[in-house]
Amino acid sequence: MQIDQYAVIGNPIQFSKSPIIHSTFALATNQSLHYDKIQAPIDGFVTVAQQFRAKGGLGLNVTAPFKLDAFAWCNEHSDQARLAGAVNAIKFEGEKIVGENFDGLGLVKDTLFNLKQTIASRRVLLLGAGGATRGALLPLISQKPSLLMIANRDVGKAQSLITQFQTLATDLQVELVACSYAQLAQQGPFDLVYNATSASLFAEAPAPDVPINAFNPNGMAYDLAYGKGLTPFLQKARSAGVTQLADGVGMLVEQAALAFAWWRSVQPETKPVIELIRVRLD
Ligand code: NDP
């Protein structure tokens, strides 16, 4: 009998930590499965995903740059995936190709349970208005911060996210606002500052242009990116006096755990896996 097959698809994919994360979850929960990584050509997501499904694959994780392609390919979507307009986990159920998006929920779980921060009634700043921000908005707003501000270089992009999520925010009494980096100087400090820009992915790139007074030294700065050492954003937060600094490893492992539980109906423990991945960072 063939072992249950799962995989992550992306491009590039060679540095993906998903196979080690899911294999560790499987070992810890006595699940018999194989989890692979697959690189698809930039214009070839659907072909590669279809081949995987045709061979009996049961589920996929999807990473950059294919989350929008995956959304378009799925014929059913969770509310979270629909609102994000992007899919990072897929389950095959007969004719159904079900799309989920666990990125934002993973971020919120990491914030609440691993980093022990509350989001409710706090002032939250999100930097960036790309896919990660889009995925984070529903779970973050659902935590009812007093203010959720989105700053982006292209303010129009942040503004269109505000328009999309405004009704939900109003219902939950969350003030939801878009602004430019220049306007941030008059807005701080924020208790939680999340860097959801892709600036940290480029070693030579400076931190996003967030003013020092946006940081609250008693709050937390969180970079969704991860790697060895502090990113330029986290260095900036530290020089503003912030002591609680976090990177995106916890988010990565938490979203993986949510996908694993969705596929296998077993909840894996995340803390040991976060530690395992942290020591393996490149
Ligand atoms: P996108 O490409 O969709 O969006 C990138 C955003 O970053 C845009 O808003 C862009 O602004 C902004 N940006 C890029 N460079 C700069 C800069 N130098 N200064 C200020 N803003 C900048 O990326 P994603 O949303 O998919 O990913 C964002 C980050 O989140 C990445 O680091 C990614 O690795 C991380 N991530 C982490 C996950 C995890 O599990 N830990 C999961 C998903 C994402 P503009 O619109 O003005 O161009």
Side-chain angles (χ1 to χ4, degrees):
M1 205 176 70
Q2 185 187 302
I3 188 167
D4 292 352
Q5 301 284 331
Y6 298 86
V8 57
I9 301 189
N11 185 335
I13 201 64
Q14 70 265 37
F15 301 117
S16 173
K17 306 284 184 236
S18 292
I20 174 84
I21 294 172
H22 283 277
S23 306
T24 308
F25 286 161
L27 208 61
T29 57
N30 288 320
Q31 295 289 301
S32 177
L33 60 86
H34 178 74
Y35 190 104
D36 216 344
K37 57 184 169 195
I38 304 173
Q39 178 151 317
I42 293 297
D43 59 354
F45 169 78
V46 171
T47 308
V48 170
Q50 268 167 345
Q51 283 165 357
F52 178 80
R53 184 184 181 208
K55 280 195 224 149
L58 297 180
L60 284 168
N61 280 127
V62 183
T63 188
F66 298 127
K67 292 180 187 179
L68 302 187
D69 293 342
F71 180 84
W73 186 51
C74 289
N75 54 26
E76 271 195 23
H77 302 88
S78 68
D79 287 349
Q80 171 61 46
R82 198 171 304 110
L83 266 170
V87 156
N88 91 324
I90 294 174
K91 180 155 68 173
F92 301 117
E93 291 178 335
E95 291 306 302
K96 290 197 282 183
I97 305 171
V98 188
E100 253 293 4
N101 190 318
F102 292 119
D103 281 337
L105 215 50
L107 176 68
V108 166
K109 285 194 83 173
D110 190 35
T111 301
L112 298 178
F113 304 121
N114 300 325
L115 301 165
K116 313 277 187 229
Q117 290 283 334
T118 49
I119 300 172
S121 305
R122 300 185 87 193
R123 292 167 56 83
V124 177
L125 173 61
L126 256 174
L127 306 174
T133 291
R134 184 179 279 278
L137 281 174
L138 174 60
L140 278 176
I141 293 169
S142 301
Q143 290 298 314
K144 302 193 193 173
S146 58
L147 169 68
L148 181 50
M149 188 164 283
I150 305 174
N152 199 45
R153 292 183 306 195
D154 176 348
V155 188
K157 257 162 92 178
Q159 192 54 57
S160 68
L161 289 179
I162 302 294
T163 306
Q164 191 187 339
F165 286 85
Q166 192 64 69
T167 305
L168 173 71
T170 305
D171 286 351
L172 295 176
Q173 296 180 311
V174 177
E175 191 185 348
L176 185 62
V177 186
C179 76
S180 66
Y181 283 95
Q183 289 166 322
L184 272 180
Q186 288 89 52
Q187 307 292 335
F190 295 87
D191 304 309
L192 307 174
V193 182
Y194 292 98
N195 179 20
T197 74
S198 49
S200 302
L201 297 179
F202 311 101
E204 71 289 357
D209 201 12
V210 53
I212 285 290
N213 68 358
F215 294 101
N216 176 350
N218 299 316
M220 180 183 76
Y222 188 118
D223 201 327
L224 274 65
Y226 49 88
K228 243 194 183 118
L230 290 184
T231 63
F233 165 76
L234 291 176
Q235 288 169 29
K236 191 172 195 176
R238 186 176 58 179
S239 66
V242 182
T243 51
Q244 181 144 20
L245 306 171
D247 66 16
V249 171
M251 172 182 180
L252 174 75
V253 175
E254 292 297 344
Q255 65 74 30
L258 288 160
F260 190 91
W262 186 50
W263 291 327
R264 309 295 301 184
S265 306
V266 183
Q267 193 69 55
E269 255 201 83
T270 51
K271 280 205 178 116
V273 185
I274 291 172
E275 282 159 26
L276 174 77
I277 297 301
R278 193 166 295 294
V279 296
R280 288 171 166 243
L281 285 179
D282 309 304

